[in-house]
Amino acid sequence: MTGGPGNAIELRGIVKRFGSLTAVAGLDLSVPSGVCLGLLGPNGAGKSTTMRMLTGQTLATEGSITLLGHALPAQSKQARMAMGVVPQLDNLDVELTCRQILSIFARLYRVPRSEREAAVTRALGIANLGARADTVVRDLSGGMRRRLLVARALIHRPRLVLLDEPTVGLDPQVRQELWTLIAGLRADGVTVLMSTHYIEEAERLADTVAVMSAGQIIAQGTPAELVRAHAGREVIEVYGPPAELTALTAEASRRGWSHRRSGPALAILNAERLDGDAPAGVRRPANLEDAFVALTGEEIE
Ligand SMILES: Nc1ncnc2c1ncn2[C@@H]1O[C@H](COP(=O)(O)OP(=O)(O)OP(=O)(O)O)[C@@H](O)[C@H]1O
Ligand SMILES: [Mg+2]
């Protein structure tokens, strides 16, 4: 987490208070250019508040924010023009066609007149909406609307794209479509900051995951690094009647084994370190969810 000119996003000592509530509590985060960073945290961790400070929708109480070299809030207009934002909620005008919406945004984002048509065609292509260019939003499926939101964010070829919970509440097929689009951005070297509370989303898409809890970044690394550091290589899942699991939980605590309740089972993390002491159970590779729970103490949906 070093600073420097290679970072598309720099947050230093960010605090955001709402009255007596501190939503963001001294957050430091750097996102190097070309990296897809997943901001992963449980409900209420402060992810959306952080994203809203980046998009200029709300001001930080303390700290400094730099986006593509533009300091906020003084240069928030320049920052906004240089990046693309995919909002969580669909705010598209249902009366307009895909092409009309993209043309309007091309103009708003100052794409030169002579290049607008090509920019619209390109954005339609990225979002795989070429065949729907002249369909009004009202007649698009949910997945198509989401893809149009991404196309709209990309109309001016931003080098930085922010997505707040890009797939929350979407059905699996639409989620998959969005993931393909985000993976494409990543492959093109666009810097992506995406907040999510879906482990799988972070695991699949992010080069780096920053785990957020209670308004701070509590761990950062590649998914594999986080798993190794906080859950080890192997997990043993022990299934059994509740009383047995409760007894085993007490034993795990006594012996200092890192563990968590995982549905009907007790999961013992770092199981490769236990040798002969290990309880009998199903061994499986540790995953990012194990690391997340170990770090935040929260189960996730
Ligand atoms: N406008 C506001 N006024 C008062 N409190 C707020 C406001 N916005 C957010 N908060 C509080 O700040 C904290 C962080 O909220 P935030 O929405 O940033 O969390 P989040 O990590 O995005 O959670 P989720 O996963 O549920 O979307 C919460 O306690 C929330 O109630
Ligand atoms: Mg949120």
Side-chain angles (χ1 to χ4, degrees):
M1 291 215 292
T2 52
N7 291 321
I9 302 178
E10 290 256 13
L11 300 176
R12 287 286 159 263
I14 297 300
V15 174
K16 178 66 186 183
R17 291 192 202 95
F18 296 104
S20 60
L21 185 142
T22 303
V24 177
L27 180 139
D28 293 307
L29 181 67
S30 301
V31 185
S33 293
V35 161
C36 176
L37 187 136
L39 190 58
L40 180 68
N43 292 135
K47 303 179 298 293
S48 292
T49 303
T50 301
M51 299 300 275
R52 280 200 296 271
M53 289 189 279
L54 293 173
T55 56
Q57 291 164 277
T58 188
L59 287 175
T61 313
E62 288 172 25
S64 71
I65 302 178
T66 309
L67 291 176
L68 299 170
H70 304 293
L72 264 48
Q75 299 175 305
S76 56
K77 187 159 180 223
Q78 291 92 321
R80 232 185 345 257
M81 291 299 282
M83 66 188 183
V85 175
V86 181
Q88 185 184 321
L89 292 175
D90 174 341
N91 57 357
L92 296 161
D93 185 333
V94 297
E95 311 280 341
L96 299 178
T97 66
C98 296
R99 195 191 301 281
Q100 285 169 332
I101 285 173
L102 295 175
S103 300
I104 290 167
F105 269 69
R107 204 170 64 232
L108 279 175
Y109 279 93
R110 311 240 170 86
V111 176
R113 184 184 297 270
S114 62
E115 295 169 23
R116 277 182 211 153
E117 198 177 319
V120 169
T121 304
R122 177 183 152 275
L124 286 167
I126 292 172
N128 200 16
L129 285 169
R132 295 302 190 124
D134 299 306
T135 301
V136 293
V137 168
R138 182 184 293 112
D139 296 339
L140 296 178
S141 72
M144 291 171 188
R145 286 186 190 207
R146 291 288 180 139
R147 285 190 268 130
L148 180 57
L149 285 173
V150 177
R152 199 183 67 174
L154 299 179
I155 193 73
H156 56 310
R157 291 177 175 266
R159 288 172 296 133
L160 169 62
V161 175
L162 305 182
L163 305 105
D164 189 14
E165 301 275 1
T167 68
V168 74
L170 300 182
D171 67 47
Q173 191 209 324
V174 177
R175 175 169 300 164
Q176 196 65 56
E177 290 174 5
L178 262 286
W179 283 353
T180 303
L181 256 180
I182 296 168
L185 292 179
R186 180 183 172 189
D188 284 345
V190 174
T191 309
V192 177
L193 174 61
M194 166 184 81
S195 77
T196 185
H197 62 269
Y198 294 122
I199 301 268
E200 193 189 355
E201 189 156 280
E203 194 156 38
R204 285 189 182 216
L205 295 178
D207 301 297
T208 304
V209 173
V211 179
M212 189 165 186
S213 175
Q216 292 183 319
I217 303 295
I218 57 168
Q220 188 173 342
T222 65
E225 285 165 356
L226 290 173
V227 174
R228 285 292 167 274
H230 302 284
R233 276 203 309 279
E234 259 188 348
V235 169
I236 298 178
E237 285 190 344
V238 184
Y239 292 83
E244 229 168 77
L245 294 185
T246 302
L248 183 59
T249 304
E251 186 191 348
S253 298
R254 201 171 57 243
R255 303 180 68 158
W257 297 344
S258 108
H259 61 279
R260 71 176 180 99
R261 205 58 184 256
S262 146
L266 181 73
I268 313 280
L269 314 185
N270 297 296
E272 72 278 5
R273 299 183 194 160
L274 302 187
D275 301 324
D277 286 347
V282 181
R283 283 186 183 256
R284 62 164 174 81
N287 58 41
L288 190 58
E289 184 177 342
D290 299 316
F292 180 86
V293 175
L295 279 162
T296 65
E298 307 242 6
E299 291 291 342
I300 209 150
E301 60 194 80

